[in-house]
């Protein structure tokens, strides 16, 4: 029998809703413990400042 990791990170994909990601976690046997939003930056040639272009949502899951 295959052993599962106690903790796993689940990223919400571009065309996926939060509830879809939570369903996927439940199907794999994980409970959401923490939600993190990480900014995504891009560099422009004319400016030295990074420009905010989006965000990435990541859930930390704990084995049930």
């Amino acid at each position: 029998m295959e052993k599962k990791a106690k903790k796993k990170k689940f990223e919400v994909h571009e065309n996926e809703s939060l509830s879809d990601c939570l369903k996927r976690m439940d199907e794999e046997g994980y409970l959401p413990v923490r939600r993190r939003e990480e900014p995504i930056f891009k560099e422009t040639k004319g400016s030295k400042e990074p420009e905010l272009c989006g965000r990435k949502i990541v859930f930390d899951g704990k084995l049930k």
Side-chain angles (χ1 to χ4, degrees), residues 17-59:
S17 68
L18 292 175
S19 60
D20 291 339
C21 183
L22 293 172
K23 280 182 197 173
R24 186 166 40 101
M25 287 178 73
D26 188 45
E27 289 171 359
E28 290 188 33
Y30 289 89
L31 290 173
V33 176
R34 181 176 161 196
R35 174 187 168 174
R36 291 183 286 140
E37 292 187 29
E38 300 172 357
I40 299 172
F41 295 100
K42 71 175 183 178
E43 292 184 19
T44 55
K45 289 187 178 186
S47 175
K48 291 185 178 181
E49 295 290 318
E51 184 179 316
L52 183 66
C53 70
R55 65 180 178 177
K56 177 171 66 168
I57 300 173
V58 179
F59 285 101

Side-chain angles (χ1 to χ4, degrees), residues 5-10 25-26 28-34 59-64:
K6 290 183 181 182
K7 295 180 183 179
K8 187 174 178 182
K9 293 182 182 180
F10 292 86
M25 287 178 73
D26 188 45
E28 290 188 33
Y30 289 89
L31 290 173
V33 176
R34 181 176 161 196
F59 285 101
D60 292 339
K62 181 178 89 172
L63 195 59
K64 290 183 183 179

